[in-house]
Amino acid sequence: MKDPTSPATSKASGVAWPPIAVPGQGLPTRDPQTRPAIGGPPADAPHRSSRDSRPAEASAPTTASYSAGDPAPGGPEAQDGDGAAGEGSAMLDDLRTAIGRYVVLPSDEALTAVTLWVAASHIQPGLQHAPRLAVVGPTKGCGKSRLLDVLYETVHQPMMTVNTSPAVVFRVIGKTPPTLLVDEADTIFGPKAGDKEDLRGLLNAGHQRNRPAWRISGPEHKPTAFPTFAMAALAGIGDLPDTIMDRAIVIRMQKRKPGERITPFRSRYSVPELHALRGRLADWLVPLRGTVAGAVPKMPVEDRAADTWEPLVIVADLAGGHWPARARAACLAMTRNEVVQDEQTTLKTRLLRDIRRVFDQEGSKEALRSQDLLAVLIQDAEAPWAEYGTKRLNAYHLANLLRVFGISPANYRFENGRQAKAYARNHFVDAWARYCPDPAPSVPTAEVPARPTQGRPPAPPSGTLPTGPPGGPAGPRPTR
């Protein structure tokens, strides 16, 4: 449905900001000179609209990740919640409500992520990274296509790419790229993909700016660079390839419960309502594309996860209110969820975790015979090792899987004087720390152990096989 309020135009900036009616207060007053800036409101600005007064869900982990000396997550240039910044927060609230009315998403964090992803599509010409939105589900009927329907009516310049040829997509993407929406992505990446290698390469390369695809084009057969940078949402059954999932905000859809109800999506009233929201988002964000190009928000994650989530956090900081904290909380929760999901599905990482569990169960043993380790692994009914290979996991398979981590068995002499092929605990320490680390417990500052007294080195660890770096002077000495 159309927004009943008409946009109020700022003569100073040329930006149209739609007024938001606050229940019981009427239309808010604004300073026409106010422009939104990167960052949320400072801590000493309690004035917010009634929509912003409710607490942001799961914001505790984000607040705890910043020390007292760090600046607020919103940054030093945050507005006080009035004017444009306050209207941006209310606009995102309206978009979040509209999306949640038509689709049941797996969590509040997922709904927040989709909302910010839609808004980020309107500033993608000013972004360095174009995050993918991977909408995956175990079966059909989980709402994946319905979510794409809602995205199609709200994102910037949508382009549905069902059965679209790579040549068309290469020529459509330019300085102002569209937002690609790919339904039935399993037809591109699955066993029925066929000759879609060009489209797969485009979707992989388009996550980062300045990654063109070179093709021979024209009657003169000149090498031509085709831009690939464009935001994309991909929906399909089952996980997408790792190269896509690693560059994506992953939404794991599920079938609705009997009590979960949604509003039917009907073009006669749903499309006008969503188009009105898209127009408001464009009026707010399009003039800020030059501003966001130099934005460096404070991120709660690192590396590629930070690249993927940065556009969403930038939009949240522009909106202010509770959105900076809400965006960072969603970033932490969903990133950690994907780390756990990846650990559970990656076979070699699963093997490292299971071997660590076996060593923990055995207590103080510093080495385990290969056959003893295999016997315990195969007995786990929930693990894949009893059905690994043609029969089950054997010593050759075990050594082959662990070789990539620099771990191999060796001959060791045990307490009874017998020698056997065995795996030493200290050979796994480095791989455990890198690929399946335990969650770091929060240690109060007062309980941090002090440095050892000078002149008194710590006592060496007890046991027949002292711990140390593999192959180092303190490592176990294999027998010949």
Side-chain angles (χ1 to χ4, degrees):
M1 58 189 71
K2 192 174 181 181
D3 187 0
T5 59
S6 59
T9 305
S10 170
K11 296 181 180 179
S13 61
V15 182
W17 305 109
I20 301 300
V22 181
Q25 301 180 18
L27 296 178
T29 58
R30 300 186 305 251
D31 180 4
Q33 301 294 331
T34 303
R35 289 291 300 273
I38 300 294
D44 59 349
H47 180 69
R48 295 175 179 173
S49 68
S50 60
R51 304 189 196 194
D52 301 339
S53 60
R54 57 182 182 275
E57 67 269 21
S59 59
T62 303
T63 347
S65 64
Y66 301 101
S67 62
D70 291 336
E77 302 175 2
Q79 300 290 333
D80 60 355
D82 292 333
E87 291 180 2
S89 177
M91 202 178 304
L92 291 182
D93 287 344
D94 292 343
L95 177 61
R96 190 176 190 273
T97 301
I99 295 173
R101 190 159 51 242
Y102 295 110
V103 185
V104 175
L105 288 162
S107 64
D108 286 340
E109 291 82 6
L111 180 55
T112 297
V114 172
T115 302
L116 292 171
W117 189 87
V118 169
S121 70
H122 293 271
I123 57 171
Q124 60 175 319
L127 298 174
Q128 182 63 29
H129 294 89
R132 278 74 184 96
L133 190 71
V135 185
V136 298
T139 61
K140 62 181 181 180
C142 295
K144 301 181 294 295
S145 297
R146 176 63 70 231
L147 179 56
L148 286 190
D149 290 338
V150 176
L151 296 180
Y152 185 83
E153 309 300 340
T154 51
V155 299
H156 164 74
Q157 196 176 332
M159 177 182 176
M160 193 71 72
T161 61
V162 176
N163 290 329
T164 301
S165 68
V168 172
V169 180
F170 273 120
R171 285 163 174 78
V172 167
I173 297 177
K175 292 183 179 180
T176 306
T179 305
L180 304 178
L181 305 176
V182 183
D183 202 359
E184 299 179 0
D186 46 320
T187 62
I188 300 176
F189 300 104
K192 301 179 182 179
D195 56 350
K196 298 294 182 68
E197 186 65 33
D198 284 346
L199 191 54
R200 290 197 295 270
L202 183 149
L203 292 171
N204 286 333
H207 177 261
Q208 187 172 348
R209 191 175 291 279
N210 299 325
R211 296 293 185 271
W214 288 86
R215 295 291 185 272
I216 298 297
S217 178
E220 299 180 359
H221 301 283
K222 290 184 177 180
T224 305
F226 290 92
T228 62
F229 182 79
M231 293 178 66
L234 304 96
I237 296 176
D239 281 5
L240 300 173
D242 291 341
T243 54
I244 295 293
M245 300 289 277
D246 193 39
R247 295 167 170 83
I249 296 158
V250 182
I251 309 296
R252 298 189 176 275
M253 302 293 289
Q254 301 174 351
K255 282 197 172 185
R256 287 189 289 121
K257 297 178 181 178
E260 293 178 332
R261 300 185 180 275
I262 59 173
T263 300
F265 187 87
R266 299 290 182 267
S267 298
R268 60 182 178 272
Y269 57 79
S270 303
V271 171
E273 174 196 12
L274 297 175
H275 281 187
L277 286 171
R278 179 164 64 188
R280 294 169 60 193
L281 287 171
D283 290 342
W284 169 40
L285 292 170
V286 169
L288 300 176
R289 289 175 179 175
T291 304
V292 302
V296 185
K298 187 175 181 64
M299 299 297 299
V301 292
E302 297 177 342
D303 301 328
R304 182 160 286 166
D307 297 340
T308 301
W309 278 88
E310 184 183 73
L312 280 67
V313 174
I314 288 176
V315 171
D317 286 348
L318 283 170
H322 53 264
W323 279 97
R326 171 178 280 177
R328 288 169 172 86
C331 173
L332 280 174
M334 297 183 67
T335 302
R336 289 170 179 171
N337 181 68
E338 285 308 305
V339 170
V340 173
Q341 187 78 17
D342 185 64
E343 288 180 359
Q344 292 175 349
T345 54
T346 302
L347 194 64
K348 293 178 181 178
T349 308
R350 170 67 184 267
L351 180 60
L352 287 176
R353 293 169 55 244
D354 288 350
I355 292 176
R356 180 172 59 185
R357 176 179 52 81
V358 175
F359 270 104
D360 291 343
Q361 290 174 353
E362 295 296 330
S364 60
K365 289 186 177 180
E366 294 296 337
L368 292 175
R369 294 178 178 87
S370 299
Q371 296 303 321
D372 294 342
L373 180 58
L374 283 168
V376 179
L377 291 173
I378 292 171
Q379 289 175 1
D380 188 353
E382 298 181 357
W385 314 122
E387 300 177 355
Y388 185 84
T390 56
K391 294 183 179 180
R392 60 182 184 179
L393 187 71
N394 56 35
Y396 173 78
H397 295 149
L398 182 62
N400 191 41
L401 290 171
L402 293 176
R403 187 176 294 115
V404 69
F405 303 112
I407 301 171
S408 59
N411 291 324
Y412 292 100
R413 188 182 301 277
F414 290 88
E415 290 81 358
N416 54 10
R418 294 185 177 182
Q419 297 182 19
K421 287 285 186 180
Y423 287 91
R425 176 196 293 267
N426 63 339
H427 285 184
F428 290 89
V429 172
D430 183 73
W432 287 339
R434 292 179 185 275
Y435 298 99
C436 51
D438 284 328
S442 57
V443 181
T445 306
E447 298 181 8
V448 175
R451 295 181 179 179
T453 306
Q454 189 173 3
R456 293 184 180 181
S462 60
T464 57
L465 295 175
T467 59
R477 180 176 301 172
T479 59
R480 296 183 179 179

